[in-house]
Amino acid sequence: GVTEYIEEEPEEGSGNTGGQGGGDVRRPDRSKFVRPTTLSHAYFTIKKHKVGKTAWRPVNGGVTTPVTALSAVVSLALRLCIFEFDRAWEHMMRVELGVDVPYGTVLTTTDEMSQHLRQAQRMHDSPAFADFDLLHKELLSADFSGLYDNIPRQDLIRVLRFMSRWIFAYVTNARRDMPDTWAPGSAGGAMRLLIPQYHEQKKLNARWVKGAVPPQELEGYVLVDAETLGDWCQIVIDNSYFTFGGKVWQMIEGYPMGTPAGPSFADVYLAFYEFSFALRKFEEVRVTGVPLSSGLKYLLLLLR
């Protein structure tokens, strides 16, 4: 494994803290400690319900891996980006299909998926869906043939960089008339993310900011632009190391489960291809003049 240096807590009364000579004993902020880090030990969960094949899922992660802290910060930044992507998707559905999407488009639980399907069903009263009435069915379970440990690695990096640039540009354009965060008289700044430097600092709020940031406002935060976020994503992906059988390995296909940024990577990756598919279909309508079928409209609403 790899161990990083930890700042020791000063002992009360020691010479460098005042002690008996006067002055208060200053105790360091534990949230800024660099904890000992070790490479994770890979293990596998067997999927016994997979009939006719041997199936298992690799899990490689934990709170003490070297990239966990950065992975957590990246995950937080991507979640804020995904929220903005939701807005872009809702706007596109409203413009192209004339439908308001009254729910979040990134689904994290089976309950959310059931709610998503019900909402989509209510928005479609076309007779074409008479034989597919989701309102009288309950989704009890869902199975997936491939999760984010199957995502092609280089394509994942490419998509994350592209989507980072696209979302930052979208947010900047959408809020172009909004005054700069710390300069109300100006409105020409770019949008960036202000993210807590240490993911344990839950009292600090991650948020979008516009324009120049005063130095005192950066205390405890890092300022993230599109290129920085893309670089951090690649660092996290490229450092997927683990131990197995007494040796150190690197995961070169997919991204390991058990890491903070894994689900966010998958959300952004799927969002890119779903959005691309929808844009192609809407462009075909404009070129050919042939409207989308009700079934394809329904599919687009189910995608996100």
Side-chain angles (χ1 to χ4, degrees):
V2 180
T3 302
E4 296 183 33
Y5 174 76
I6 308 176
E7 180 183 352
E8 296 291 345
E9 183 175 350
E11 296 181 1
E12 190 170 346
S14 61
N16 60 348
T17 58
Q20 298 176 353
D24 296 332
V25 175
R26 294 187 302 167
R27 298 186 180 277
D29 183 355
R30 287 185 175 275
S31 68
K32 298 181 181 180
F33 281 4
V34 180
R35 294 189 176 94
T37 60
T38 59
L39 295 181
S40 62
H41 300 284
Y43 63 94
F44 307 91
T45 57
I46 304 300
K47 313 302 290 181
K48 296 177 65 176
H49 62 283
K50 304 283 187 180
V51 179
K53 61 180 180 179
T54 302
W56 46 271
R57 183 174 297 155
V59 179
N60 165 25
V63 297
T64 62
T65 61
V67 294
T68 293
L70 180 59
S71 181
V73 171
V74 166
S75 178
L76 178 56
L78 289 178
R79 287 201 300 272
L80 292 177
C81 291
I82 291 168
F83 178 78
E84 298 298 332
F85 178 82
D86 272 358
R87 292 185 175 183
W89 181 268
E90 292 167 7
H91 176 74
M92 183 171 66
M93 293 296 104
R94 189 179 303 113
V95 171
E96 301 290 351
L97 299 182
V99 174
D100 286 321
V101 183
Y103 45 79
T105 62
V106 176
L107 310 177
T108 59
T109 67
T110 302
D111 288 341
E112 288 181 3
M113 183 180 292
S114 297
Q115 181 183 7
H116 177 92
L117 294 175
R118 291 192 188 96
Q119 292 283 5
Q121 177 72 16
R122 291 189 181 97
M123 287 187 293
H124 279 279
D125 54 2
S126 169
F129 304 112
D131 297 330
F132 192 54
D133 187 2
L134 294 174
L135 291 177
H136 296 90
K137 295 180 173 63
E138 291 291 338
L139 182 65
L140 299 180
S141 180
D143 192 17
F144 302 91
S145 59
L147 295 174
Y148 44 84
D149 52 315
N150 300 106
I151 297 176
R153 187 185 196 85
Q154 293 305 315
D155 196 41
L156 174 61
I157 294 173
R158 178 187 68 85
V159 167
L160 287 170
R161 285 191 176 277
F162 176 87
M163 289 295 283
S164 295
R165 297 184 184 113
W166 188 91
I167 291 174
F168 275 75
Y170 170 81
V171 174
T172 296
N173 181 66
R175 304 179 187 179
R176 59 186 178 277
D177 296 328
M178 186 181 78
D180 288 359
T181 306
W182 285 279
S186 175
M191 298 297 298
R192 290 175 291 179
L193 284 171
L194 202 60
I195 303 292
Q197 185 176 1
Y198 302 95
H199 64 282
E200 296 97 339
Q201 293 174 304
K202 300 186 183 301
K203 294 182 180 179
L204 302 181
N205 296 321
R207 61 192 187 275
W208 290 94
V209 296
K210 187 177 183 182
V213 181
Q216 65 271 19
E217 298 292 340
L218 289 173
E219 179 65 29
Y221 288 94
V222 288
L223 193 60
V224 182
D225 58 20
E227 297 304 318
T228 299
L229 182 56
D231 290 342
W232 286 357
C233 288
Q234 182 159 3
I235 290 172
V236 172
I237 294 170
D238 285 344
N239 286 275
S240 301
Y241 292 97
F242 59 94
T243 60
F244 184 74
K247 296 182 179 180
V248 176
W249 304 80
Q250 181 186 27
M251 190 168 181
I252 60 175
E253 289 295 333
Y255 187 74
M257 299 183 66
T259 50
S264 297
F265 284 168
D267 288 338
V268 174
Y269 188 75
L270 288 176
F272 169 79
Y273 282 103
E274 290 167 355
F275 203 92
S276 299
F277 172 76
L279 288 176
R280 287 199 307 272
K281 292 303 175 184
F282 294 143
E283 182 63 22
E284 289 176 8
V285 171
R286 284 187 283 270
V287 172
T288 64
V290 179
L292 295 176
S293 67
S294 58
L296 186 53
K297 291 180 181 179
Y298 191 76
L299 173 63
L300 289 173
L301 289 172
L302 292 181
L303 277 177
R304 298 296 303 154

